[in-house]
Amino acid sequence: MSQSATLITRRDQMFPTLSPDDVVRMRRFGEAASFAAGERIVRAGDVAPGLIVVVSGKVEVTQDGGGGRHETIVVHGPGSFIGELAQLSERPSLVTAEAIEPVASFVIPSRRLRDLMVQEASLGERVMRALILRRVGLLESGGSGPIIIGRQDNVDMLRLQGFLARSGYPHRVLDSDTDSCARTLIERFHVDRHHLPIVLCPNGNLLLNPGERELARCIGLVKPVDASKLYDVAIVGAGPAGLAAAVYAASEGLSVIVLDCRAFGGQAGASARIENYLGFPTGISGMALMARAYNQAQKFGVEMAIPDEAGHLSIAADDIGQHYRLRTSYDETVHTRTVIVASGARYRRLDMTNLAQFEGSCIHYWATPIEASLCAGQEVALVGAGNSAGQAAVFLASHARTVWLLVRGAGLDASMSRYLVERIKAQPNIKVLTETTVTALDGQEGNLELVRWCSPAGEEAARPIRHLFLFIGADPNTDWLAHSDIALDGKGFIQTGVETGEERHPLETNRSGVFAIGDVRSGSVKRVAAAVGEGAQVVAAVHAYLAREGRQPSAPQWMRMT
């Protein structure tokens, strides 16, 4: 395993030692616990009891080093605490902790850990920073989490890798063709190579080419929805708008659940670099920005059902009164007083008969380090002229030999931010072709070999390109609302502020108590900052609706105690 750069440069923040006063302040949130020398306190793959603060004794924290070996990450002594982001939301541990000598400690369960974050702001900040940095360290070292085994260029291998990467979840990837450990595991579990890729979960379960939902269940990333609970707000979509609404709603005392069919971050999460978002003068990757929002939402107790896809919205009337009922594609039910639709948009596809056979392995709708590694040193083509296309082109230019940027219009100036236009011009290996359209894709057995396009003069060109990136806009993700009586405009976007004879907030749909924000809303500005702004604004509208209906929000424990 490679050593984490964050562990080297920010060790003191990653593993701070609490002062005696800090320990006293934290103790009221936990319960005393003791462990004998040699006792395993936490095992990777099991849900830890919470954040464990060491009062006396020593604890060794390890991760899998491959080949049955264990690598020591840190040895905790008095004033240290054991845990990382998994303990914030009662998810399985990614590491193993064992007492080296008798240990006296106290355990802060997840719900009380969130109370600590709010009630002890300064101390909570240090703890939260440590938890985040520890997760970053695990991501960098590549020594924890599930192990994916298969051929590096396999479409399902890339799918599983992409899911875990976009979920900010540590994992290891072993190439079944070249890695001796991969071959050993395949032989040990008697896996037919036709069943690859396989995933070995930290709890010991083996999955054969699982779907994202099956994998998420195995590693504890998603838990069953509590059908007996009535939430104040259910948010469909975990992009910038949905996460902003979740943070503001939960921080103001509302009980919140967020659903998304893929991973947190939405389209913004796939942006290689965002440089015009307020407050980040050096820029920030979409994944980093959205991961911060995701962690912030969990800090305030937001429940995440990701991946879980909303399938139908209806009104329910039962013992708990009239409310909304969301059915998911996995046949689960969410009961909620209000609904915020932030389901964003679906990527547009080229209208080509053989497009599907190359999708997932050679046709890409985002550009992350995973895709960049696939096309290192090669020629690639990218279709699009918006900011997302520009960011992707610049990012890929640092990995690919040549990036052919195919623009259907007359130029980039009308649709792309000026700084990106200038940066593209400055990249010698980005070739911009205007008024150009893709005419054909050639290849076999799912492998793209040639891309053909037509120039303004009607001349067709062909290049030996194995990876094509499409950033040609998106359509509203509203098919799931087809039988929900939600008013849509002619293009399928949700209409808000509709005149119905009743007072309506500008972000409220024709159904009272159902709101729409972000890219899915008709007339919205398609920018990250605008989506975040609507996410904050809609929470005031939710409060107003609940007050108007005479419904008291379900305040979380930390608000009831303060």
Side-chain angles (χ1 to χ4, degrees), residues 235-239 241-242 260 340-344 480 515-518 520:
I235 301 172
V236 181
D260 196 287
I340 297 174
V341 181
S343 49
W480 65 280
F515 305 84
I517 56 175
V520 76

Side-chain angles (χ1 to χ4, degrees), residues 42-46 61-64 73 84-87 91-96 134-135 138-139 143-146 168-171 202 219:
V42 178
R43 187 180 77 88
D46 293 344
V61 177
T62 61
Q63 65 180 355
D64 183 12
I73 299 174
E84 57 97 41
L85 283 176
Q87 280 63 65
R91 285 176 167 77
S93 176
L94 289 162
V95 298
T96 296
R134 292 176 187 183
R135 173 59 62 91
L138 294 176
L139 285 166
S144 61
Y169 203 85
H171 60 281
I219 61 178

Side-chain angles (χ1 to χ4, degrees), residues 405-422:
L405 182 55
L406 310 181
V407 181
R408 290 177 292 179
L412 299 173
D413 293 299
S415 55
M416 190 179 292
S417 294
R418 189 65 193 170
Y419 80 92
L420 279 171
V421 175
E422 294 298 326

